[in-house]
Amino acid sequence: MSSGIRHFTDLSALSGSVLREMLDDASVRKERLKAGERSRPLDGKVLAMIFDKPSTRTRVSFDVGMRQLGGETIMLTGTEMQLGRSETIADTAKVLSRYVDAIMIRTTTHDRLVELTENATVPVINGLTDDTHPCQIMADLMTFEEHRGPVKGKTFAWTGDGNNVLHSLLEASARFDFKLNIAVPEGSEPTQTYLDWARANGGNVSLTRSPEEAVSGADCIVTDTWVSMGQEHRARGHNVFLPYQVNAELMSHAKPDALFMHCLPAHRGEEVTDEVMDGPNSVVFDEAENRLHAQKAVLAWCLGA
Ligand code: CP
Ligand code: NVA
């Protein structure tokens, strides 16, 4: 951040107060939109969106969000760019910075995001890497607070694979001061550096093999696919994860009004059953909607609007 450019790379890179202001701004923008108010603070601005992996929510919510703010987007898939023919990320960053006002990237290794950020002279936004998914967690926290009030002091439980979404949730637990109980099978733990960072920064994090123990007393149960994009080579038998499935029985161990969250896309019948996905405690489509509002706040912050 020493360059003064406002990148949105990871929750750990920003202070709790900056992130809180962004979340509050997202809620205000959502209310104004619902009230029919339109402002175009990003009139004339262009966001380049690079996708090295598939996407429905991230792609559409950034595109629509940018348009609602008065700006425009250019959709780029890595394979169709010279990036796909071995032009470096660094050179791509320098070139795109001459054309556009901000870059959003969904990519594979986190190193690619870092290289882009270090070489871009415009803000870079992380739209998911193998390691983290901060935009998703901003939307999830916004969703929780809409339904249950401030996240501070609440308990979240994660059950399933220790993946990129969990890593950002770990960072959020420290930045927003909520407890996080994690239940994962042996060999699917979150990366130790994310656990260590959260604990070193005040996070209250527990790790167990028991999903019942993790969800006990929780205000929110979160899960995700057992096989993330690009991680197919690491896929493990579903029998390893089946005890971690979020079903009605597991939900019965949480608080009766515990919310259920999933970033989507969901694999119904695997990490979550239909009865939970479509049940009264599920807020999965609110999360999807709030990607739009949360990212508008991220875009406005990055571009000083
Ligand atoms: N949750 C999420 O990031 O969805 P997409 O992969 O559809 O963008
Ligand atoms: N963990 C998932 C999230 C998808 C939005 C993946 O990386 O595939």
Side-chain angles (χ1 to χ4, degrees):
M1 203 63 58
S2 53
S3 63
I5 301 169
R6 290 183 165 190
H7 300 296
F8 186 82
T9 51
D10 276 308
L11 303 183
S12 56
L14 299 172
S15 70
S17 57
V18 165
L19 293 169
R20 167 48 60 191
E21 277 174 30
M22 247 186 259
L23 266 195
D24 293 345
D25 182 47
S27 298
V28 170
R29 288 180 192 278
K30 182 174 181 177
E31 277 168 29
R32 289 193 183 142
L33 183 75
K34 303 271 176 192
E37 285 178 41
R38 294 282 190 276
S39 66
R40 299 173 58 84
L42 298 188
D43 192 16
K45 304 279 188 196
V46 177
L47 172 73
M49 306 197 296
I50 303 173
F51 283 92
D52 289 333
K53 290 180 176 180
S55 168
T56 298
R57 281 143 288 268
T58 304
R59 174 177 175 167
V60 178
S61 56
F62 266 108
D63 196 350
V64 172
M66 198 63 191
R67 291 180 202 210
Q68 288 182 355
L69 292 167
E72 293 177 53
T73 58
I74 299 173
M75 169 75 189
L76 303 162
T77 58
T79 48
E80 287 169 2
M81 299 170 72
Q82 297 291 7
L83 202 49
R85 293 181 59 249
S86 74
E87 185 167 19
T88 66
I89 284 265
D91 289 349
T92 305
K94 289 172 190 161
V95 171
L96 289 181
S97 297
R98 304 283 178 114
Y99 301 134
V100 302
D101 300 283
I103 304 167
M104 191 281 297
I105 184 165
R106 164 167 289 195
T107 192
T108 52
T109 63
H110 210 69
D111 292 351
R112 288 168 68 80
L113 170 75
V114 172
E115 191 179 343
L116 188 74
T117 306
E118 286 176 352
N119 289 279
T121 52
V122 298
V124 171
I125 299 171
N126 176 358
L128 179 147
T129 70
D130 289 346
D131 285 6
T132 57
H133 197 2
C135 290
Q136 181 66 49
I137 296 305
M138 291 296 278
D140 292 358
L141 298 184
M142 181 180 176
T143 305
F144 182 91
E145 296 199 330
E146 284 177 347
H147 288 271
R148 296 286 184 266
V151 288
K152 188 176 163 121
K154 296 290 198 304
T155 301
F156 280 59
W158 176 278
T159 170
D161 184 31
N163 66 13
N164 46 5
V165 177
L166 174 59
H167 291 159
S168 288
L169 190 60
L170 269 164
E171 295 189 340
S173 73
R175 286 293 186 243
F176 288 90
D177 203 11
F178 57 86
K179 189 170 188 315
L180 177 56
N181 299 333
I182 300 167
V184 289
E186 192 176 356
S188 294
E189 293 83 4
T191 302
Q192 192 64 38
T193 47
Y194 289 94
L195 276 171
D196 291 346
W197 183 91
R199 287 176 172 148
N201 285 275
N204 183 354
V205 179
S206 75
L207 191 60
T208 174
R209 298 274 169 249
S210 164
E212 291 80 11
E213 183 187 322
V215 306
S216 172
D219 300 284
C220 185
I221 315 303
V222 194
T223 194
D224 187 14
T225 179
W226 294 336
V227 187
S228 286
M229 292 179 281
Q231 305 295 307
E232 290 77 11
H233 59 288
R234 289 181 54 232
R236 309 178 68 198
H238 284 180
N239 55 337
V240 172
F241 286 109
L242 210 49
Y244 297 84
Q245 181 188 67
V246 184
N247 50 38
E249 206 284 318
L250 185 63
M251 288 296 286
S252 74
H253 294 268
K255 283 186 180 169
D257 67 345
L259 298 177
F260 171 71
M261 289 196 182
H262 190 309
C263 63
L264 306 181
H267 304 80
R268 290 168 176 262
E270 295 186 12
E271 71 270 11
V272 60
T273 56
D274 286 339
E275 62 189 340
V276 172
M277 264 286 282
D278 303 324
N281 294 17
S282 173
V283 290
V284 297
F285 299 110
D286 291 347
E287 290 175 79
E289 175 184 340
N290 283 335
R291 293 292 303 277
L292 170 67
H293 309 296
Q295 287 158 197
K296 283 169 71 179
V298 170
L299 286 164
W301 178 78
C302 288
L303 290 164

